[in-house]
Amino acid sequence: MAVKWTGGHSSPILCLNASQEGLVASGAECGDLMVWGEDGTPLGHTHFQGADDVTSVLFSPSCPTKLYASHGETISILDVRSLKESLDHFHVNEEEINCLSLNETENLLASADDSGTIKILDLEKKKVSRSLKRHSNICSSVAFRPQRPQSLVSCGLDMQVMLWNLQKARPLWITNLQEDEMEEMESPQSPGQLLNPALAHSVSVASCGNIFSCGAEDDHKLQALEAQFKELDFTMDNLTQKFEYHSKTLANQAAQDELWTAVLSLKFTSMELNILYSYVIEVLICLHTRVLEKLPDLVRGLPTLASILRRKVKNKHIRDVWESVLEEYGLQEGDITALCTFFVAHGNKAEHYIDKVRRMYIRDVNFMITNMVKNQALQDGLLKAVQVVEKGKAVRVSEEQKSPLEELIPSIKS
């Protein structure tokens, strides 16, 4: 049932917006702004200085009493409980503003104006973070995409619809409604039928963020651009995934380079190096032995720890057992990477010391590692190795077992 609300404005109404609490704000010509209750009762009224038309009003989704309003080239932030004074105001546009839009996180406010420019206002820093100018005529409407706080759509009287990503100053995608109009005019039409130019006045984005529609001046023109929009969105998601993958790859490579540099630049004496090597080798042997205990059928196929590390990539069963062994000893993949790097770098010249010999030379190996090893990944790996051995979870290797020890560890070549 339609209800007519009266008794508010004395000039033509230009814009409306409703809050989640049922309040309605209306902006009119000559700087008039009203707030209404859900039953149509006027709750507040203000008149902006300068008598510029109120062209856009917008409630904050997270704070129902906060209202954004554009009048002339100015944006005012108001509290609907007290409209007489603005909470804040911004003069960032050069010409009259036509539309306001908030992103989902409510840290960015977009304002489209008659110059064809879209200003992106950072509400936290209270300054313009982006100025998007590609429309050659009035930019009539702008809308942020739900679920994508850095993406928005705009349209204007240049008959163009544009998709923007705020990480770039240029639109990701443009469609010209006039070109689509000309294609339609080539098809059969009624004699004497006239088509208005496709001046775009309004754009709206669905809640999924993947579909939007544009209202053009021709009454029969409503552009549904779902297919192109989805295709572009799919392409952008793929590029984002590839970028993230390459970023992770580069980060991993940088971490490996730092680890190798740290291992090769260690300033230990040969005796100290032998002690660290002894802890490392005992833990690696222990891991290999424990995996074989859990996979007795694969003993012949996993002769070295290197074979386990290689085959676990493609064999889920081996990978699951390997991860359970690491968890059993409180180790992580990063620790193993550090220990294996140390072994490859120093295994060909280091000598294994049994526990009694180690204790004769160094009382506190943890103190030595903490003070001498600056690379965090290498330091953590060596400390974990000492911890595993000292708790008795690693095998104790006597001097008589030195020969079998060398057989269990893969050579540097392999």
Side-chain angles (χ1 to χ4, degrees):
M1 177 180 177
V3 178
K4 186 177 181 180
W5 294 355
T6 58
H9 296 285
S10 58
S11 53
I13 297 173
L14 302 178
C15 56
L16 293 168
N17 190 248
S19 75
Q20 296 178 352
E21 303 296 321
L23 298 178
V24 176
S26 57
E29 293 180 354
C30 304
D32 230 21
L33 185 144
M34 290 282 301
V35 175
W36 311 73
E38 57 184 333
D39 58 352
T41 304
L43 300 179
H45 172 263
T46 191
H47 188 86
F48 291 112
Q49 293 181 356
D52 289 316
D53 295 344
V54 181
T55 53
S56 182
V57 287
L58 187 65
F59 278 102
S60 164
S62 63
C63 181
T65 59
K66 184 183 290 185
L67 179 68
Y68 299 86
S70 63
H71 46 103
E73 302 90 27
T74 304
I75 301 169
S76 292
I77 304 178
L78 306 157
D79 188 328
V80 297
R81 297 167 296 187
S82 178
L83 293 174
K84 296 302 180 183
E85 295 184 5
S86 300
L87 299 176
D88 211 340
H89 65 275
F90 303 93
H91 192 102
V92 296
N93 292 78
E94 298 176 0
E95 297 189 26
E96 185 178 46
I97 299 169
N98 299 304
C99 183
L100 298 175
S101 180
L102 269 174
N103 69 347
E104 276 192 339
T105 54
E106 293 192 43
N107 66 318
L108 297 177
L109 178 70
S111 56
D113 66 24
D114 281 356
S115 71
T117 303
I118 304 166
K119 296 287 186 178
I120 307 299
L121 181 63
D122 189 320
L123 295 174
E124 296 174 350
K125 298 180 180 179
K126 297 187 177 183
K127 66 178 184 179
V128 174
S129 62
R130 276 286 187 187
S131 184
L132 310 176
K133 185 169 177 59
R134 187 62 183 268
H135 287 283
S136 58
N137 206 324
I138 292 173
C139 183
S140 52
S141 185
V142 63
F144 274 102
R145 295 172 63 195
Q147 304 179 40
R148 292 168 177 80
Q150 292 289 317
S151 181
L152 54 86
V153 184
S154 65
C155 68
L157 302 193
D158 56 358
M159 295 169 282
Q160 296 195 100
V161 182
M162 302 183 186
L163 172 67
W164 304 83
N165 187 297
L166 297 185
Q167 296 175 347
K168 297 185 178 181
R170 297 184 301 172
L172 297 176
W173 170 83
I174 301 175
T175 188
N176 192 309
L177 300 182
Q178 187 178 29
E179 295 175 358
D180 297 336
E181 187 83 5
M182 295 303 295
E183 292 177 4
E184 289 186 6
M185 291 179 66
E186 293 174 0
S187 60
Q189 57 188 29
S190 304
Q193 180 182 6
L194 297 177
L195 295 177
N196 293 323
L199 307 179
H201 289 276
S202 177
V203 66
S204 180
V205 185
S207 58
C208 65
N210 291 328
I211 304 172
F212 75 89
S213 60
C214 177
E217 192 149 315
D218 181 4
D219 292 339
H220 301 285
K221 185 75 173 178
L222 185 62
Q223 289 286 323
L225 302 167
E226 177 181 5
Q228 295 181 46
F229 205 90
K230 281 188 174 181
E231 181 180 354
L232 182 65
D233 213 42
F234 178 75
T235 302
M236 187 169 66
D237 288 343
N238 278 344
L239 289 174
T240 301
Q241 291 176 5
K242 289 181 180 179
F243 176 77
E244 290 176 352
Y245 171 77
H246 288 303
S247 296
K248 289 180 180 178
T249 302
L250 290 173
N252 290 336
Q253 185 60 54
Q256 290 178 16
D257 291 344
E258 290 180 7
L259 180 60
W260 273 102
T261 301
V263 169
L264 294 173
S265 60
L266 290 174
K267 301 300 183 181
F268 290 116
T269 64
S270 58
M271 179 268 295
E272 292 170 337
L273 204 63
N274 289 339
I275 290 175
L276 291 179
Y277 168 80
S278 302
Y279 282 107
V280 170
I281 201 69
E282 289 186 17
V283 170
L284 295 181
I285 291 176
C286 181
L287 292 173
H288 179 241
T289 304
R290 187 72 181 114
V291 170
L292 295 185
E293 289 175 355
K294 293 191 172 189
L295 296 172
D297 296 338
L298 298 178
V299 171
R300 297 186 63 183
L302 300 172
T304 63
L305 183 64
S307 62
I308 295 175
L309 298 177
R310 183 173 60 252
R311 292 188 58 183
K312 75 180 178 67
V313 176
K314 296 183 179 180
N315 190 308
K316 185 178 183 303
H317 184 43
I318 296 176
R319 183 167 63 252
D320 290 342
V321 169
W322 170 254
E323 291 174 354
S324 70
V325 170
L326 289 186
E327 184 177 359
E328 180 181 336
Y329 289 109
L331 297 169
Q332 298 179 353
E333 288 288 353
D335 301 323
I336 305 306
T337 301
L339 297 180
C340 288
T341 303
F342 182 93
F343 172 77
V344 172
H346 301 292
N348 63 329
K349 56 185 178 182
E351 183 180 353
H352 177 263
Y353 288 172
I354 62 172
D355 182 57
K356 290 182 179 180
V357 176
R358 292 197 294 260
R359 293 183 182 279
M360 286 174 55
Y361 287 115
I362 295 180
R363 294 285 184 181
D364 192 347
V365 68
N366 289 315
F367 180 80
M368 180 185 74
I369 294 172
T370 304
N371 282 272
M372 296 289 288
V373 181
K374 302 306 178 184
N375 180 274
Q376 194 62 51
L378 180 58
Q379 184 186 110
D380 290 344
L382 292 173
L383 290 174
K384 288 280 187 69
V386 173
Q387 183 181 18
V388 170
V389 173
E390 294 300 326
K391 283 186 176 181
K393 292 182 178 178
V395 291
R396 302 295 182 178
V397 183
S398 64
E399 290 186 357
E400 290 76 19
Q401 292 175 308
K402 187 174 180 180
S403 178
L405 192 74
E406 295 173 348
E407 294 174 3
L408 281 170
I409 298 302
S411 66
I412 295 176
K413 292 182 179 180
S414 64

